[in-house]
Amino acid sequence: MSLQKIIIAIDGYSSCGKSTLANELAKRLKYNYIDSGAMYRAVTLYFLRNNIDFTDHGEILNAIANIHLTFQFNELNKQSEICLNDENVASLVRDMLVSEKVSEVAAIREVRSFAVAQQKRMGKKKGIIMDGRDIGTTVFPEAELKIFMTAEPEIRVMRRFKEMYAKNEHITIDEIRHNLELRDYIDTTRDESPLKQAGDAILLDNSNLNKEEQLNIVMEWVKQKTVNQLI
Ligand code: DC
């Protein structure tokens, strides 16, 4: 007997470990994992490369018409990587220049409509895990399992710092703290689909959990939801 496939929506603050959890879950469940933040980052990269004025709606619409986003599965790291007009930009979109502007771009209504429409299409066949800020509230309000992730701010700062340090990025702890605080502020206060916990989302505070512990907790939730589907 095979379990019915569901949609898993993971939302939460920046650097809470959403993608780490989503990746591990996807491997265990053999689901597709889509990092919706990478889509907003790729749009930001395109805007920066083409000097798009973030306040000019006509220019933004023209730019969006020239953007084609896809995901390419990388067999080496077993991850779906974002492509901007057929160019794999997975590492470029993690650049600090993109991180500094992405929340501003993600708050633009036209950008959100473009990304959300594509994200909704990706969920048609279920068997998908998507993480972001509005997945449980806007993209997949019908998702069977919704998780809202959080962790103490200083823990998130140190996790991000270690990640950047490992990549040899020269950035101070203060710069990271400032970037995370600013992104949280813009993401939670914007007019368009601000980050908030869906009424039916389960809260997961992973401040004191290691990766294995958090995965085990969530796998239990997945089991409950997929078993419920069969009843
Ligand atoms: O998850 P991330 O840090 O890569 O996301 C980058 C930015 O994109 C983040 O500051 C907020 C925005 N974002 C969003 O508004 N909605 C999503 N579904 C995903 C990301």
Side-chain angles (χ1 to χ4, degrees):
M1 181 178 63
S2 68
L3 292 178
Q4 195 168 335
K5 297 213 165 189
I6 62 170
I7 295 179
I8 303 177
I10 304 178
D11 288 303
Y13 298 97
S14 298
S15 296
C16 270
K18 298 186 294 296
S19 59
T20 305
L21 171 66
N23 253 313
E24 287 304 315
L25 271 180
K27 276 186 211 152
R28 286 259 190 120
L29 298 167
K30 299 201 167 43
Y31 276 24
N32 273 335
Y33 163 45
I34 298 295
D35 169 5
S36 70
M39 297 172 73
Y40 292 100
R41 286 172 178 272
V43 172
T44 305
L45 179 64
Y46 183 93
F47 282 13
L48 290 175
R49 278 178 171 175
N50 294 280
N51 293 316
I52 303 300
D53 177 352
F54 295 175
T55 61
D56 183 332
H57 292 266
E59 209 173 291
I60 288 168
L61 279 175
N62 281 338
I64 287 173
N66 290 314
I67 297 177
H68 179 59
L69 299 180
T70 45
F71 283 88
Q72 185 181 54
F73 192 73
N74 180 338
E75 285 295 341
L76 292 177
N77 60 17
K78 304 279 176 219
Q79 291 182 8
S80 284
E81 297 182 332
I82 186 79
C83 298
L84 169 63
N85 295 334
D86 296 328
E87 173 193 356
N88 186 320
V89 290
S91 64
L92 284 178
V93 297
R94 297 277 139 207
D95 198 279
M96 202 57 192
L97 281 175
V98 174
S99 295
E100 275 168 5
K101 293 289 170 196
V102 63
S103 282
E104 224 179 301
V105 172
I108 301 170
R109 176 179 301 172
E110 294 83 353
V111 172
R112 299 208 74 79
S113 309
F114 164 74
V116 169
Q118 184 166 350
Q119 290 156 5
K120 281 180 182 284
R121 284 196 295 275
M122 290 173 179
K124 285 259 154 61
K125 290 189 188 148
K126 302 225 174 194
I128 187 169
I129 301 164
M130 194 178 285
D131 72 353
R133 306 293 187 289
D134 61 341
I135 311 305
T137 52
T138 306
V139 179
F140 298 130
E142 76 283 15
E144 289 83 356
L145 177 59
K146 296 181 188 176
I147 300 167
F148 190 86
M149 284 180 74
T150 185
E152 283 159 26
E154 239 6 67
I155 289 181
R156 293 161 50 209
V157 170
M158 289 317 293
R159 283 179 186 160
R160 183 94 180 117
F161 178 70
K162 282 184 197 152
E163 192 189 318
M164 300 294 268
Y165 190 78
K167 283 199 275 180
N168 256 330
E169 299 251 3
H170 300 290
I171 183 161
T172 66
I173 293 179
D174 279 344
E175 282 168 325
I176 289 180
R177 186 180 296 113
H178 175 72
N179 177 255
L180 290 187
E181 282 172 359
L182 186 66
R183 282 206 283 149
D184 285 352
Y185 177 76
I186 299 177
D187 294 344
T188 50
T189 57
R190 68 180 178 221
D191 291 337
E192 301 292 323
S193 316
L195 168 65
K196 63 170 188 263
Q197 184 175 351
D200 51 352
I202 311 175
L203 185 69
L204 177 66
D205 181 338
N206 66 8
S207 303
N208 299 307
L209 295 175
N210 65 31
K211 288 178 191 169
E212 197 57 31
E213 288 166 337
Q214 98 173 347
L215 185 63
N216 290 339
I217 291 172
V218 176
M219 281 302 291
E220 271 309 307
W221 295 342
V222 173
K223 263 186 225 155
Q224 287 166 16
K225 296 291 176 181
T226 46
V227 167
N228 285 344
Q229 290 287 308
L230 295 173
I231 295 168

